[in-house]
Amino acid sequence: VQDVKPLAKSTTGFVPRALRKGGDVAEDEMDEKVFKRRIMALLNIITPDNYDAVSDDLIAWGNKSVKETDGRILRKLVQLLVEKTADERTWMKMYANLFLKLISKISNDVQDHSERSKSGGYLSGGSLVRKYLLQKCQEDFERGWKVDMPEAKQSEEFYDALAIKRRGLGLVELIGELYLLDVLTAHIIKSSLRRMLSNIETPEKEVLESMMKLLSTVGKKLDTLEHKTEVNLYFERIKSMTTNENLSSRIRLLLMNTIELRKRRWEVRHAEEAPKSIAQLHQDMEREKRAKQARSSSGRRNESNEHRGRQDIDARNIRREAAQSAGDLSNFGNLSRSKPSIGSPMGNPFSAFAGGSRGWRAGKPDEHKNTPPHISPVNTKFTLHSRSSNSGSSSPDAIGSQNMFATLMDADESAGHKTYAEEMGTEEVRSLVKNMLTAYVETQNEATLVDSFEQLGETNYSTAVYQAVDNIMDRRPDQAEQATNGMAVLAKHNVVSEDLAIAALAEYSSQLEDLLLDVPHAFQYFGMLMAATHVQMSRVSEAMGELMTKVDMLKPPTMSIVFAYLKHMAKTNGEESTRINIEETEFDVSQFLCLDHRSETDIKRVLGLQDLLSLFPKYAQVD
């Protein structure tokens, strides 16, 4: 027998990629198809039962980008997760929580040298995940999901269009769910809603559907006292669109449903049930089993009690008939069929209930909800376009000017773009200012007040200040003072300038006298507003406008106003500071008094009656 020699090792034979260098392939050299396949394998098996384990594996894959400078693996992970989430809206809440976990757990050592933070450093960790997330959402939404639905509902084109729409709305819902988890701020959501509601004359139906989906998702959290002003304005515009003949009846009905949803405090009538874990399903089955046993036991008890009741009634009827017919032989020998006696089973008045509780109890309505069948994705490499350019379906148009995701990236408004604020009319500004001041009176939240006023846009500031003055005039004294303090906040933050305040006050001054019958404190409110908006003493007469021509009256309006102004200045700045200001500006209080009562003695007497003499030492020395 010849000796068997071992086979010679070929130098050109196949070697698995992971063994070519004597160990695992460096992650920065790993082929994209490899890690994409492995990430998709994890995303395809994630459920509420294995969420913790699979999410940890996905985060581990994201952390492999530590060896990279471009975040290649992490970027692909976020992109695949967004696509998966948009296509499987049933699992939306679970995927949103996965994003939150990814942002909080990803290593800060993961960096992308092509992405810079505001401070100039490289974006890393959770900030980088958030950047990738918003970039992906913006990219997909810009492709658009505007597509004409084919009439043939069983055609492949119809299902393609339906999938495109599902993914587009899925992206919007994802943004809403991330806001609910505080991943995104209210400012981003409000900016998105303002953009989508910027055109109410000829809006695109896809934009309106996206807006309604976002509102239905975030409404319960956003519609609070802090953001009530903005939300009220959104619904004013939504209400105006319900009568827009340019919109289809379907869209107008959906808009009315959104208004109704807010009236119900955002409680959905037929909420979709979220996926449940196996343990939760077992609990539901056990609960249903106990309920069924309780109903069955209750039914048997009712049937038993009813049966005993029938026996007692039958026995009493038989005894009663026997007593009545004792000795009665009138029917003796009569063999004709007679009407069954009451005591017989056929004559039993309860025979209709012979089936027990099942015979008369109203049937329990079906609690199962009809949900549309799930349309499985054709493949995992989808975008918001149709699957192929030659499939026969119309490709979706991009929604450029209405792209809500542009605000997510804090992008600047494009040149020449007509902003939402520029389109607001006087009535809209009036409503917004009213709600703004009411919210401040109730919450005293300065940041919200400043942010709300700035969102009006500088083109509306003048109208807004005028409407603020008018609104304060309609308030009770305690509320008027608090609302005036709100105007002081706007002046302190340089949102309302002195020139702007003087212009609005001077314009409003012409109607003050007519308000006195309805608003007895109008002059006092006006003086407080001058002090609150930082009108300097040298410009007080300018703010009073036409009233300065009426000083020939016995008690001119200017006198009451200037006294209220000085009192508010002393209250907010202190008497000493106010006195020094009067001396430095050489403030002449006599110009606001009656022409016939401007002697030093008269001025001293009037200032004394108003408890303001301490602010004018020179008049205090007058004999």
Side-chain angles (χ1 to χ4, degrees):
V1 179
Q2 296 180 350
D3 294 336
V4 178
K5 296 181 180 181
L7 296 174
K9 192 171 184 178
S10 174
T11 57
T12 59
F14 172 77
V15 179
R17 181 178 176 85
L19 300 177
R20 291 179 187 177
K21 296 185 180 182
D24 291 340
V25 179
E27 302 303 341
D28 57 348
E29 297 178 7
M30 182 178 291
D31 186 80
E32 182 175 330
K33 293 182 180 179
V34 175
F35 64 74
K36 178 180 178 181
R37 185 169 61 249
R38 295 183 183 179
I39 290 173
M40 284 305 304
L42 291 172
L43 291 176
N44 287 335
I45 65 172
I46 191 170
T47 65
D49 286 299
N50 61 15
Y51 172 80
D52 291 334
V54 176
S55 60
D56 289 341
D57 290 341
L58 289 169
I59 292 172
W61 268 101
N63 284 331
K64 292 180 186 293
S65 287
V66 169
K67 300 179 181 180
E68 302 173 331
T69 59
D70 58 355
R72 186 169 58 114
I73 296 177
L74 179 60
R75 186 192 298 269
K76 178 57 67 174
L77 170 61
V78 172
Q79 290 175 352
L80 294 175
L81 186 51
V82 170
E83 292 174 357
K84 190 76 170 176
T85 305
D87 201 48
E88 298 183 2
R89 293 168 55 195
T90 306
W91 305 81
M92 183 67 67
K93 292 186 181 296
M94 183 185 70
Y95 286 129
N97 280 287
L98 180 55
F99 274 114
L100 178 62
K101 185 174 181 179
L102 184 61
I103 290 173
S104 60
K105 298 293 185 181
I106 199 71
S107 173
N108 286 326
D109 294 331
V110 177
Q111 295 182 344
D112 187 342
H113 292 185
S114 64
E115 300 288 352
R116 297 274 185 171
S117 63
K118 292 183 179 179
S119 60
Y122 298 133
L123 278 180
S124 62
S127 299
L128 186 58
V129 174
R130 187 174 182 273
K131 181 75 172 181
Y132 288 159
L133 169 62
L134 298 182
Q135 282 178 342
K136 175 61 177 174
C137 289
Q138 181 181 4
E139 176 188 343
D140 283 357
F141 201 85
E142 281 181 345
R143 292 173 182 169
W145 61 270
K146 181 180 179 180
V147 60
D148 296 329
M149 301 297 289
E151 295 182 0
K153 295 188 176 181
Q154 300 300 324
S155 63
E156 183 178 355
E157 290 79 8
F158 176 81
Y159 288 112
D160 284 344
L162 200 62
I164 292 170
K165 180 177 180 179
R166 183 179 68 248
R167 293 163 189 162
L169 292 177
L171 282 172
V172 178
E173 189 174 355
L174 172 60
I175 294 300
E177 291 293 341
L178 291 175
Y179 165 68
L180 297 181
L181 295 175
D182 295 324
V183 175
L184 301 180
T185 63
H187 176 71
I188 289 177
I189 300 299
K190 291 192 293 184
S191 298
S192 301
L193 289 170
R194 283 199 302 272
R195 180 179 289 270
M196 289 187 284
L197 284 167
S198 60
N199 180 10
I200 62 174
E201 297 297 331
T202 57
E204 296 177 344
K205 64 178 182 180
E206 292 77 17
V207 176
L208 293 183
E209 288 191 62
S210 297
M211 177 273 297
M212 289 183 281
K213 171 56 69 175
L214 185 59
L215 267 179
S216 64
T217 304
V218 307
K220 196 166 188 178
K221 180 178 179 181
L222 187 68
D223 193 10
T224 58
L225 192 59
E226 183 179 359
H227 309 294
K228 184 75 70 176
T229 300
E230 283 276 300
V231 177
N232 286 343
L233 192 54
Y234 301 153
F235 275 88
E236 286 181 11
R237 299 179 77 83
I238 291 174
K239 186 177 180 180
S240 67
M241 285 190 288
T242 58
T243 57
N244 189 341
E245 297 296 334
N246 295 326
L247 300 176
S248 65
S249 57
R250 171 181 166 273
I251 293 296
R252 281 183 286 169
L253 182 60
L254 290 175
L255 291 170
M256 288 187 281
N257 288 343
T258 304
I259 296 174
E260 182 65 25
L261 179 61
R262 190 193 189 197
K263 291 180 180 179
R264 296 198 306 268
R265 300 179 181 273
W266 304 99
E267 294 295 336
V268 182
R269 288 177 176 173
H270 305 290
E272 296 181 4
E273 293 187 1
K276 298 180 179 180
S277 64
I278 294 178
Q280 291 173 324
L281 291 175
H282 283 308
Q283 292 175 0
D284 291 347
M285 291 172 63
E286 185 64 26
R287 192 181 302 111
E288 180 63 26
K289 182 179 178 180
R290 289 196 298 268
K292 186 176 181 180
Q293 290 175 346
R295 290 194 298 268
S296 177
S297 176
S298 175
R300 287 195 296 270
R301 286 196 300 271
N302 291 339
E303 290 178 10
S304 177
N305 293 336
E306 185 179 321
H307 180 65
R308 286 197 298 270
R310 287 200 304 270
Q311 288 180 330
D312 293 342
I313 292 174
D314 291 345
R316 286 196 297 270
N317 288 337
I318 291 172
R319 288 195 296 271
R320 185 181 301 112
E321 290 181 2
Q324 291 175 352
S325 59
D328 184 6
L329 302 179
S330 58
N331 291 325
F332 182 75
N334 186 0
L335 300 179
S336 62
R337 295 183 181 272
S338 60
K339 184 178 179 180
S341 64
I342 296 178
S344 67
M346 293 182 63
N348 178 18
F350 293 93
S351 60
F353 305 140
S357 61
R358 293 184 299 274
W360 56 272
R361 181 177 297 172
K364 188 175 182 181
D366 185 13
E367 295 178 348
H368 296 286
K369 301 175 180 61
N370 294 324
T371 57
H374 176 70
I375 302 176
S376 302
V378 178
N379 52 53
T380 58
K381 298 172 60 177
F382 67 84
T383 64
L384 292 182
H385 286 293
S386 56
R387 286 179 296 179
S388 62
S389 59
N390 56 359
S391 62
S393 61
S394 58
S395 59
D397 298 328
I399 306 177
S401 62
Q402 305 292 343
N403 176 21
M404 60 166 283
F405 289 97
T407 60
L408 303 181
M409 306 303 299
D410 293 328
D412 295 332
E413 293 283 349
S414 58
H417 177 69
K418 191 174 184 180
T419 62
Y420 174 55
E422 292 174 347
E423 295 183 352
M424 286 194 292
T426 301
E427 290 303 317
E428 288 178 305
V429 175
R430 181 200 302 274
S431 176
L432 187 58
V433 168
K434 177 182 177 181
N435 294 331
M436 184 192 311
L437 291 177
T438 299
Y440 177 78
V441 168
E442 295 176 354
T443 65
Q444 303 294 308
N445 191 320
E446 294 186 6
T448 301
L449 176 64
V450 172
D451 182 62
S452 299
F453 197 91
E454 287 179 338
Q455 290 175 8
L456 291 173
E458 293 186 5
T459 55
N460 295 308
Y461 278 5
S462 179
T463 304
V465 175
Y466 183 92
Q467 295 300 333
V469 175
D470 187 61
N471 181 264
I472 290 173
M473 293 295 169
D474 290 334
R475 294 181 178 270
R476 301 193 310 266
D478 56 334
Q479 289 189 354
E481 185 172 0
Q482 293 177 359
T484 300
N485 293 338
M487 298 301 295
V489 169
L490 296 175
K492 180 179 70 175
H493 288 84
N494 297 320
V495 179
V496 174
S497 66
E498 182 185 19
D499 290 337
L500 189 64
I502 289 175
L505 289 167
E507 182 181 1
Y508 195 87
S509 64
S510 60
Q511 56 182 307
L512 273 182
E513 291 182 288
D514 296 333
L515 288 175
L516 279 180
L517 291 177
D518 298 323
V519 188
H521 301 288
F523 292 158
Q524 286 75 15
Y525 291 173
F526 195 84
M528 289 165 51
L529 278 166
M530 288 199 306
T533 52
H534 299 178
V535 174
Q536 298 298 315
M537 291 187 179
S538 59
R539 303 186 67 182
V540 167
S541 59
E542 186 179 349
M544 290 192 189
E546 295 181 6
L547 294 177
M548 291 300 297
T549 62
K550 301 182 179 182
V551 292
D552 56 344
M553 300 172 60
L554 182 62
K555 190 177 180 180
T558 53
M559 184 171 69
S560 300
I561 292 173
V562 77
F563 289 158
Y565 169 80
L566 292 171
K567 289 178 180 178
H568 197 78
M569 291 284 286
K571 181 180 179 180
T572 55
N573 302 331
E575 284 192 9
E576 183 65 19
S577 176
T578 304
R579 183 184 62 77
I580 294 174
N581 194 6
I582 290 173
E583 293 178 354
E584 291 179 348
T585 58
E586 298 180 354
F587 182 65
D588 182 14
V589 70
S590 65
Q591 62 180 316
F592 305 103
L593 307 184
C594 175
L595 286 174
D596 298 332
H597 296 83
R598 291 186 177 181
S599 67
E600 291 186 345
T601 303
D602 289 336
I603 295 173
K604 177 181 179 180
R605 178 179 57 81
V606 174
L607 291 176
L609 292 174
Q610 296 294 330
D611 293 327
L612 293 173
L613 198 56
S614 60
L615 299 179
F616 298 87
K618 70 174 184 178
Y619 291 114
Q621 300 173 1
V622 175
D623 294 331

